[in-house]
Amino acid sequence: MSTTKIAVAGATGRLGRHVVDVLTERGHHVVPMSRATGVDIITGDGLAEALTGVEIIVDVASWHASEQEAATAFFRTSARNLHEYGRQAGAARLVVASIIGADKATAGFLAAKKTHEDLLPAGPLPVRILRAAQFHEFVGQLLDWQPGEVAHVPALPAQLVACRTVAEELADLALRPAEPDPAAPVPEIAGPRAEILAEAAALLGARRGVKVVGVDGSAVPDGELAAEGAFLPGPHAKLAGPTFREWLATQ
């Protein structure tokens, strides 16, 4: 098997750690990029050095909050820098993780990802995008945001997927030799079945001693769209386990 030098932006994040693991296990030379490794994709500090000799850039870096304007600014700058520094390094392509439904979003973090997707094709590097459903790991984050014995979680549909599953699909997409058909829909990866976010949170809450109360999702950005299933996978999506319950049993 040939070894490819691959840089991973956001390498220490929730998804990035799995991407680094998957690519390393497959025998590739992985360059982890994050502020923790001395590489800042926003300021450009350490970026040129990190990308020296890199053939593929995988971008799973994300903004840490849901505020739309700040997240949009982050993605706008990261896209510009990864394209420009990647071009200078002679990288063959940029592979980016996005979110299912981003193309329909009008508000919040998802709308920032929509802007990100819109900006990416304007750069010099060929771009491949993978849209993923919300992660199993996101459910714990919802509970972490509400310390206490009761948590209110939107009763919205989601087709939750494991980060490891997304990382494997992202690695496959990054390393596929043939360029994607430009007329084909953006590839998607989601879990094996639709679930209600509040019900998944209740399973985790039972472990933590937290009572989860399902609430109307209209206060969530684009909550009405979410309730209508706008952020569920399309018919062309790849569906892969484990389910949330199966994944939780391994944690």
Side-chain angles (χ1 to χ4, degrees):
M1 183 187 72
S2 61
T3 297
T4 305
K5 189 172 184 180
I6 305 170
V8 179
T12 54
R14 184 182 289 115
L15 176 57
R17 290 193 293 267
H18 289 279
V19 174
V20 169
D21 287 348
V22 169
L23 291 170
T24 302
E25 288 163 15
R26 294 184 183 184
H28 298 290
H29 179 183
V30 180
V31 181
M33 301 196 304
S34 71
R35 283 182 295 179
T37 66
V39 184
D40 192 320
I41 63 171
I42 299 303
T43 65
D45 289 347
L47 190 51
E49 294 82 357
L51 291 179
T52 301
V54 161
E55 298 161 75
I56 299 170
I57 303 167
V58 177
D59 178 18
V60 292
S62 190
W63 182 244
H64 55 78
S66 59
E67 202 273 310
Q68 182 179 344
E69 192 173 330
T72 300
F74 174 87
F75 290 127
R76 182 175 286 118
T77 304
S78 68
R80 183 180 66 240
N81 284 345
L82 289 174
H83 263 298
E84 184 53 33
Y85 284 85
R87 181 192 63 78
Q88 292 172 17
R93 70 184 69 102
L94 175 59
V95 184
V96 183
S98 189
I99 303 169
I100 290 175
D103 54 318
K104 306 180 188 79
T106 67
F109 183 83
L110 267 179
K113 283 302 290 186
K114 181 181 191 300
T115 301
H116 192 205
E117 284 195 13
D118 291 343
L119 288 167
L120 285 165
L125 297 180
V127 174
R128 299 178 182 181
I129 296 173
L130 175 68
R131 292 183 185 142
Q134 284 287 7
F135 305 145
H136 291 331
E137 290 82 350
F138 174 66
V139 177
Q141 192 175 348
L142 286 175
L143 298 187
D144 293 341
W145 288 337
Q146 301 180 65
E149 296 178 359
V150 179
H152 296 85
V153 176
L156 293 172
Q159 199 141 335
L160 299 164
V161 66
C163 273
R164 171 77 189 202
T165 301
V166 177
E168 289 169 350
E169 191 66 14
L170 201 57
D172 288 346
L173 180 65
L175 291 159
R176 201 164 289 149
E179 285 302 319
D181 177 357
V186 175
E188 296 179 353
I189 179 76
R193 64 186 183 92
E195 313 192 47
I196 300 300
L197 207 49
E199 293 174 5
L203 292 173
L204 179 58
R207 279 192 171 198
R208 295 188 179 184
V210 175
K211 180 183 179 184
V212 172
V213 178
V215 296
D216 177 78
S218 57
V220 175
D222 284 334
E224 289 184 9
L225 280 175
E228 294 165 3
F231 305 134
L232 294 176
H236 68 288
K238 179 176 179 177
L239 308 182
T243 65
F244 183 76
R245 187 184 291 271
E246 290 166 344
W247 172 83
L248 189 59
T250 68
Q251 301 305 299

